[in-house]
Amino acid sequence: MSVNSVWVFAQVVNGAPTSATLELLTKARSLSSNVAVFLGDDASSVASALGEFGATKVYATGNLGGKLPGVAVASAMKAIIDGGDKPDLVLFPQNYEGRDVMSRLSVKLDKTVLTNSIDVSVDGGAVSATTPIFGGNTLVTTTFTGEGPYLVAFRPKSFAAESAGGAAAEVVSVSVPDLGATGAAKVTAVHVEETTGPKLDEADIVVSGGRGLGEADKYSMVEELAKLLKGAPGASRAIVDAGWVPYSYQVGQTGKVVKPSVYIAAGISGATQHMVGMKGSKNIIAVNKDKEAPIFGIADLGIVGDVHKVLPKLIEALKGR
Amino acid sequence: MNVIVCVKQIPDPATPGALDGATNTLKRDGKLILDDSDAYGVEMALQLVAAAGGGEVSLVSMAPNGETAGMRTALAMGAAKGVLVSDPALQGSDALTTAKVLAAAVKKLGGADLVIAATESSDGYTGTVPEQMAEVLGLPSVTFAKKVAVDGGTLKVDRQTESGYDEVECPLPALISVTAGVVEPRYPSFKGIMAAKSKPVDTVTAADLGVTPAGWAGAGQKISNVAQAEARQAGEVIEDDGESFGKIVAFLENLKVI
């Protein structure tokens, strides 16, 4: 058996496919010429963009009307599979909705899942996914056994998105089956936390702060430095959990994955969960009081010192330029 | 209001993880402790039951060798009882089997108004078990809850999203996964620790629950290779002498980003 058909769970924000969607499409079309996208949204604004990156077909449920995508999209997928279009492989982004849809579908199909992957390969009939563990020091490759569909979720930026110059994808409307009790959760309000400047996961320079800042007020130094460098401010999980900054600032395994040209870690010791999200940065500068901090093991320039002394001087020096 | 919390007992994260040479699964043979991520769910459950003015918090867990040390921590915080599924046949179970087993343990406890789990464990972090459990149990679910309240029979949740958060309402019974930081977990009191020793933990096998243990053979996946990743080299590390900011400026200049 080879991989004849690949599906990608796609997401749309502000009328455009997310970067994760385009990354997965780029990978999917290298595995199969038969790539379909599954969308828990309206497809009219994105059929051409999805086609350009390699999708030939878009299954779209239309607006979910407040239903959570996990159970709704998985049920719609199951209905299409029961109807006879069965993919060999389904690719998901490792994010909130991706995980929810994948989990629900896994039970509906009684199929295992592989998550946190950074690559997938097909060798004859064998489909394998690679996942970094122990903070990325060890790479584990796992091969599916038994029959597909094989379900795999990928960390953001595992693949580089490249246009294939394809024509607009054919849109097929699918309906969400009756979800019964499982569909009872409803979104009643949506809140968007406004940020200014470049987006964290797209910025060329990221300045992140951690517990070493000592108190919430000191995070303003991180914001000021990021602004001076025309970068984005980020944070470790520790200070997000402590409530100093919103979750949308979090860099790490459970937050954003960033790969900027320059990453400045201020008062961050370098917990595994943080390093997983930033070790792909081209250049890393770390400032931390503890010379044993793991962050120094991956930093191109490490300053063993107090962020409260180093950062203000750095900010002054940059302002004076 | 009765709440069941899924708790994972994991090797101490302070000690480096290792793979079992024979099976390439994470070693779990040492002493296990309560996953920090689960302390938030236990605390949330205790607060919701207290706010409801009655009911109790129960635990479900799956671990080898009848290990209950981590569950005792949650019992010491105030949970009333637990079911531990411990069965050599479950070794190597994938997330789907784990979800089936934990769902069966929830049923053994007679179900609950609310089932709470962490968003993902600290050691395996597959992150699919809560939503898979909800599907097995036929429950609605809200994942990544960062604020939770119950008003009458309705759950009100602030759910984290990529760009902010959504307000979500859901009738009970339901399942939620909670983020770290949803509440501040209490420390077990001395009295709580003493009381936990005698709280009932029912240890059962997969067969007792009527679940066919898939184990390695039925996991639908096998580890085919383990390799060391290319390590990132450390660069220059210097002690701050009051002028080290200049090094950073020079470094940035060299990269032409300033």
Side-chain angles (χ1 to χ4, degrees):
Chain A
M1 188 215 83
S2 62
V3 169
N4 293 315
S5 154
V6 180
W7 283 5
V8 172
F9 170 59
Q11 292 169 288
V12 172
V13 173
N14 298 328
T18 59
S19 50
T21 300
L22 302 181
E23 289 160 20
L24 294 182
L25 269 177
T26 304
K27 184 65 190 180
R29 71 172 197 253
S30 77
L31 302 173
S32 167
S33 56
N34 187 3
V35 176
V37 146
F38 220 104
L39 186 62
D41 210 325
D42 189 67
S44 54
S45 68
V46 291
S48 62
L50 293 171
E52 188 195 329
F53 280 79
T56 52
K57 191 190 276 187
V58 180
Y59 287 115
T61 61
N63 190 299
L64 291 173
K67 288 190 196 75
L68 291 175
V71 68
V73 174
S75 299
M77 284 176 160
K78 174 72 162 52
I80 295 294
I81 291 169
D82 287 348
D85 183 358
K86 183 173 147 191
D88 300 306
L89 178 61
V90 188
L91 312 183
F92 297 87
Q94 181 87 26
N95 59 24
Y96 306 115
E97 315 304 7
R99 282 214 301 208
D100 282 3
V101 175
M102 177 190 214
S103 304
R104 288 275 180 180
L105 186 64
S106 148
V107 176
K108 288 178 191 295
L109 299 176
D110 200 24
K111 294 293 173 193
T112 194
V113 298
L114 292 176
T115 63
N116 290 296
S117 304
I118 55 167
D119 201 4
V120 61
S121 64
V122 178
D123 181 5
V127 175
S128 305
T130 302
T131 303
I133 60 168
F134 301 145
N137 296 330
T138 304
L139 297 173
V140 174
T141 303
T142 310
T143 305
F144 285 101
T145 59
E147 280 191 30
Y150 303 134
L151 313 180
V152 194
F154 296 88
R155 290 192 180 155
K157 297 192 172 68
S158 292
F159 312 108
E162 285 167 27
S163 165
E170 173 202 0
V171 177
V172 179
S173 291
V174 295
S175 51
V176 175
D178 179 14
L179 304 176
T182 60
K186 289 281 177 323
V187 177
T188 56
V190 174
H191 298 265
V192 176
E193 284 158 356
E194 294 294 341
T195 50
T196 54
K199 283 171 71 180
L200 179 55
D201 48 0
E202 292 168 5
D204 198 43
I205 298 182
V206 173
V207 184
S208 285
R211 191 69 94 171
L213 291 168
E215 53 183 323
D217 287 353
K218 299 287 189 231
Y219 188 77
S220 60
M221 290 193 301
V222 170
E223 285 175 313
E224 189 174 6
L225 182 56
K227 200 172 172 191
L228 281 166
L229 294 169
K230 300 185 178 60
S236 71
R237 175 171 165 177
I239 72 167
V240 172
D241 285 352
W244 295 3
V245 294
Y247 171 77
S248 55
Y249 285 52
Q250 187 171 316
V251 173
Q253 184 172 288
T254 47
K256 300 260 184 346
V257 174
V258 301
K259 290 187 176 177
S261 296
V262 182
Y263 188 88
I264 302 179
I268 291 177
S269 63
T272 293
Q273 111 89 34
H274 184 75
M275 305 237 271
V276 165
M278 47 64 77
K279 67 192 294 180
S281 306
K282 285 197 195 76
N283 297 281
I284 298 171
I285 302 172
V287 183
N288 200 293
K289 263 200 296 207
D290 175 11
K291 70 173 193 296
E292 303 295 331
I295 193 83
F296 290 129
I298 64 164
D300 300 285
L301 175 61
I303 307 287
V304 181
D306 186 348
V307 287
H308 304 98
K309 290 179 181 154
V310 179
L311 255 50
K313 284 183 182 168
L314 177 60
I315 288 167
E316 280 313 306
L318 291 172
K319 272 186 182 167
R321 292 173 63 90
Chain B
M1 174 169 178
N2 291 318
V3 182
I4 294 175
V5 186
C6 306
V7 294
K8 188 167 183 182
Q9 306 176 89
I10 65 169
D12 191 334
T15 61
L19 294 180
D20 185 305
T23 62
N24 277 327
T25 49
L26 279 174
K27 277 191 181 176
R28 297 180 199 278
D29 47 4
K31 183 178 179 302
L32 302 181
I33 62 169
L34 178 68
D35 187 340
D36 257 356
S37 312
D38 290 326
Y40 301 94
V42 173
E43 180 64 40
M44 189 75 247
L46 292 169
Q47 290 187 14
L48 289 173
V49 166
E56 64 181 12
V57 176
S58 307
L59 310 170
V60 293
S61 188
M62 180 172 125
N65 308 326
E67 180 66 64
T68 61
M71 292 180 83
R72 295 289 168 202
T73 303
L75 292 168
M77 288 172 71
K81 62 180 191 286
V83 171
L84 171 70
V85 191
S86 194
D87 190 333
L90 288 169
Q91 205 205 344
S93 293
D94 64 339
L96 178 57
T97 304
T98 305
K100 288 177 186 172
V101 166
L102 291 176
V106 165
K107 282 186 192 154
K108 183 177 171 60
L109 282 165
D113 299 299
L114 183 64
V115 179
I116 302 181
T119 56
E120 62 184 22
S121 64
S122 305
D123 62 341
Y125 53 86
T126 307
T128 58
V129 170
E131 186 78 356
Q132 286 172 321
M133 280 180 74
E135 181 68 19
V136 174
L137 292 166
L139 292 176
S141 55
V142 187
T143 51
F144 288 88
K146 61 171 204 163
K147 192 173 153 200
V148 182
V150 172
D151 185 3
T154 302
L155 188 64
K156 294 188 171 179
V157 173
D158 285 357
R159 175 178 191 254
Q160 244 169 232
T161 62
E162 304 290 326
S163 54
Y165 68 97
D166 289 350
E167 289 177 44
V168 182
E169 290 192 6
C170 184
L172 297 175
L175 179 146
I176 57 173
S177 73
V178 296
T179 63
V182 66
V183 280
E184 192 59 41
R186 71 193 66 185
Y187 287 103
S189 64
F190 179 70
K191 202 174 140 197
I193 292 167
M194 295 312 287
K197 291 181 199 287
S198 57
K199 286 181 177 173
V201 173
D202 192 1
T203 302
V204 299
T205 63
D208 293 337
L209 295 172
V211 179
T212 310
W216 272 114
Q221 49 175 273
K222 62 168 199 278
I223 292 172
S224 44
N225 191 40
V226 177
Q228 289 304 306
E230 202 172 308
R232 199 186 165 107
Q233 298 298 316
E236 185 187 9
V237 179
I238 57 165
E239 297 267 350
D240 179 37
D241 57 359
E243 300 298 324
S244 67
F245 71 92
K247 277 269 188 192
I248 300 178
V249 173
F251 188 89
L252 295 173
E253 274 177 340
N254 193 33
L255 293 172
K256 299 191 172 29
V257 295
I258 54 171

